[in-house]
Amino acid sequence: MARFAANLTFLFTELPMLERFGAARRAGFEGVEVLFPYDLAAPELASAAQAAGVEFVLMNTPPPNWAGGPRGFAAVPGGEERFRRDFDRALRFAQALRCRHIHVMAGRAEGEAARQTFVENLRWACARAPHASLLVEPINPGDMPGYFLADFDQAVEVIDEVGAPNLGLQFDAYHAHQITGDVLSCWDRHGARARHIQIAGAPGRHEPKAGEIDFAGFFRRVDALGYRGWVGAEYMPATTTEAGLRWLRDGSA
């Protein structure tokens, strides 16, 4: 069975960031994700993770300016210099945090020029950091209009075109549901490429429990495939984080 990581950007937000690591471990999580950790010093974050006994599993590019700002630059023609500068900063953070995966964000773009920009930037990043696990993630257009990578078939085609051993798929069950309407079939087609999974319920992007996604069936498929990676809990609690953690404690997801 996969291990669960708490996305600390979404969960335990009633606490300061450095206190969320311990709260996550006490709740039963063994790992953590932080989407954009750049507002704090990397040594402070690394110390908090180490003290709590959790692994730092995932972070995103780019830093920072997320609120109302661009959603990445990897597929944006003309943004190559900004992407490479941001990637190097993300890489320094990931190394300091001993972070397992870096999600490379494509940004808002469209067309063939955007695709070629994305492929070329990913090739550059994979060659620059051959020791790092880099991921791309399809994001549904309802949550992020205009985002370049909004289709799982497209994501796999890009991964194949880049052809780098350290590039893989980030499979978010919530986005898969929003994009395809059938998480299980989407997993059957593309799960073998997944190096990291994220979960949230639908509708609402709340706790992964009863709703439109068959999480029991999904995890049976995940186990059947032999997936041994992490599963990131990237959802917005319906009330408080603690009140909604029954799915983790009793395996009811």
Side-chain angles (χ1 to χ4, degrees):
M1 182 63 185
R3 294 174 292 172
F4 289 97
N7 188 300
L8 300 185
T9 304
F10 281 67
L11 304 183
F12 304 103
T13 56
E14 66 276 10
L15 299 172
M17 177 58 77
L18 294 179
E19 295 180 22
R20 297 177 197 176
F21 293 84
R25 189 66 188 94
R26 290 189 295 273
F29 291 101
E30 299 179 37
V32 297
E33 307 173 348
V34 178
L35 298 186
F36 303 99
Y38 309 100
D39 289 339
L40 293 171
E44 292 182 334
L45 292 163
S47 294
Q50 183 177 12
V54 293
E55 181 174 338
F56 214 110
V57 176
L58 176 77
M59 56 178 282
N60 289 357
T61 65
N65 300 326
W66 177 251
R71 270 44 176 169
F73 297 92
V76 179
E80 292 86 350
E81 181 179 349
R82 173 66 187 268
F83 167 75
R84 296 182 181 196
R85 184 170 66 248
D86 284 352
F87 181 82
D88 279 346
R89 187 181 180 195
L91 187 60
R92 290 193 298 271
F93 261 78
Q95 291 170 334
L97 298 172
R98 297 182 179 179
C99 184
R100 182 176 293 264
H101 302 296
I102 302 174
H103 169 209
V104 179
M105 299 202 71
R108 289 190 175 101
E110 61 181 354
E112 185 58 29
R115 178 190 174 89
Q116 289 306 310
T117 300
F118 195 34
V119 168
E120 290 167 10
N121 277 333
L122 287 170
R123 282 176 176 159
W124 175 89
C126 288
R128 189 164 184 82
H131 58 286
S133 173
L134 307 184
L135 306 176
V136 294
E137 177 193 25
I139 298 177
N140 81 83
D143 283 22
M144 199 171 291
Y147 191 74
F148 174 74
L149 195 62
D151 179 86
F152 280 83
D153 292 335
Q154 178 192 32
V156 168
E157 289 169 2
V158 165
I159 291 169
D160 287 345
E161 188 171 346
V162 172
N166 56 330
L167 180 65
L169 177 67
Q170 183 170 318
F171 188 99
D172 188 305
Y174 167 77
H175 288 304
H177 172 74
Q178 298 297 99
I179 292 169
T180 72
D182 189 342
V183 174
L184 300 188
S185 292
C186 188
W187 175 262
D188 288 343
R189 292 196 307 275
H190 303 303
R193 304 296 192 96
R195 295 188 181 177
H196 185 64
I197 294 171
Q198 290 177 322
I199 54 173
R205 203 174 185 180
H206 299 310
E207 285 79 358
K209 54 185 182 181
E212 296 174 1
I213 300 174
D214 175 11
F215 279 105
F218 175 63
F219 282 118
R220 284 195 297 269
R221 299 284 183 93
V222 168
D223 288 343
L225 190 62
Y227 178 80
R228 294 293 180 266
W230 289 90
V231 176
E234 188 192 41
Y235 64 85
M236 297 177 288
T239 56
T240 67
T241 302
E242 286 289 344
L245 284 178
R246 182 179 176 183
W247 68 269
L248 177 66
R249 291 168 179 151
D250 66 10
S252 61

